[in-house]
Amino acid sequence: AQKITQTQPGMFVQEKEAVTLDCTYDTSDPSYGLFWYKQPSSGEMIFLIYQGSYDQQNATEGRYSLNFQKARKSANLVISASQLGDSAMYFCAMREISSGTYKYIFGTGTRLKVLA
Amino acid sequence: GAVVSQHPSRVICKSGTSVKIECRSLDFQATTMFWYRQFPKQSLMLMATSNEGSKATYEQGVEKDKFLINHASLTLSTLTVTSAHPEDSSFYICSARVPGQGRGVTEAFFGQGTRLTVV
């Protein structure tokens, strides 16, 4: 069964520093997509970055990059040059593409606090 | 990106009453929408998959008769919490799949969420 694990319930980072949020996953589907979402206190889910299981290169979107290690089944999010506005909950999610169901499974989240 | 609008953002209702939450795709047609529930400081749990013109597919453990889902058009899905009880208090959030999106982009956009409090 597919599973997403985020082992860091909370993280602190100094403003302008980089931070890595961990995510490991488990799936038997050879084709899958990995996503990171940001959820500020207002509640909406904001898409940050996507990595496909067959993508050869790590995904990058501005200050966000995904450290994809397929053999280790990890998809860590790296935020560079942290800003105060980055303080939020961060969720890692996965979709098994071969299943065709478009169902997303979410991890338990990591609460990031950026310190001034 | 695509816009998904969810309404209301907050609702307080009395125990025993029913509450309807709307999820609209504003600039695209969504054949599939998803409803999630999120307890405080916890993850999003998929409740059901809503397909336009057909019955919703509920996840294991979700009461179909309590959480009624209707997807009557390509731009609107509704979740009705019937005979609400305090334990139904939660954050409910919908997402809509954007058809035709390929790899490298998100396939699902989320509404703003609805915080339901049953008193």
Side-chain angles (χ1 to χ4, degrees):
Chain A
Q2 56 177 314
K3 185 179 179 181
I4 292 283
T5 303
Q6 293 180 254
T7 57
Q8 307 154 312
M11 290 280 286
F12 290 94
V13 65
Q14 205 67 38
E15 193 179 9
K16 300 180 184 177
E17 299 278 312
V19 63
T20 298
L21 306 183
D22 295 341
C23 173
T24 58
Y25 61 92
D26 191 20
T27 178
S28 58
D29 193 332
S31 181
Y32 50 90
L34 296 159
F35 304 79
W36 276 92
Y37 286 89
K38 173 183 178 182
Q39 187 180 44
S41 57
S42 53
E44 76 266 32
M45 297 289 282
I46 302 168
F47 166 74
L48 296 179
I49 197 166
Y50 166 88
Q51 180 84 44
S53 58
Y54 292 113
D55 292 341
Q56 295 295 316
Q57 293 186 323
N58 287 344
T60 59
E61 289 285 348
R63 294 186 299 111
Y64 305 107
S65 60
L66 201 151
N67 184 0
F68 181 46
Q69 298 189 40
K70 194 171 182 177
R72 297 178 61 182
K73 293 190 173 180
S74 73
N76 299 338
L77 176 70
V78 180
I79 305 175
S80 62
S82 297
Q83 302 171 355
L84 295 178
D86 294 335
S87 295
M89 279 290 288
Y90 288 81
F91 289 98
C92 180
M94 178 174 67
R95 180 174 88 79
E96 292 178 333
I97 296 174
S98 298
S99 69
T101 63
Y102 292 94
K103 289 167 59 173
Y104 289 70
I105 301 299
F106 287 84
T108 51
T110 296
R111 182 169 297 280
L112 177 66
K113 176 69 175 177
V114 180
L115 305 173
Chain B
V3 179
V4 176
S5 177
Q6 190 172 338
H7 178 80
S9 58
R10 289 179 179 272
V11 59
I12 301 173
C13 71
K14 290 185 177 180
S15 187
T17 61
S18 296
V19 174
K20 180 184 285 187
I21 303 170
E22 294 185 347
C23 181
R24 293 181 184 274
S25 56
L26 297 185
D27 52 0
F28 66 98
Q29 293 183 329
T31 55
T32 305
M33 291 186 175
F34 304 90
W35 287 96
Y36 294 85
R37 181 174 182 176
Q38 185 180 27
F39 289 104
K41 299 184 180 180
Q42 294 191 26
S43 185
L44 280 71
M45 300 300 296
L46 180 65
M47 297 174 66
T49 302
S50 169
N51 297 297
E52 187 269 337
S54 64
K55 290 184 179 180
T57 303
Y58 289 82
E59 294 300 300
Q60 192 173 9
V62 177
E63 297 177 60
K64 301 178 183 181
D65 295 332
K66 180 162 192 62
F67 299 101
L68 300 180
I69 291 173
N70 185 280
H71 195 156
S73 77
L74 286 171
T75 58
L76 174 64
S77 176
T78 60
L79 167 68
T80 301
V81 183
T82 63
S83 187
H85 288 106
E87 57 264 32
D88 298 325
S89 298
S90 190
F91 188 70
Y92 294 86
I93 191 165
C94 71
S95 74
R97 174 178 164 256
V98 182
Q101 291 279 41
R103 292 179 180 177
V105 297
T106 187
E107 303 153 329
F109 289 87
F110 287 81
Q112 304 92 324
T114 297
R115 191 164 302 282
L116 170 65
T117 303
V118 184
V119 297

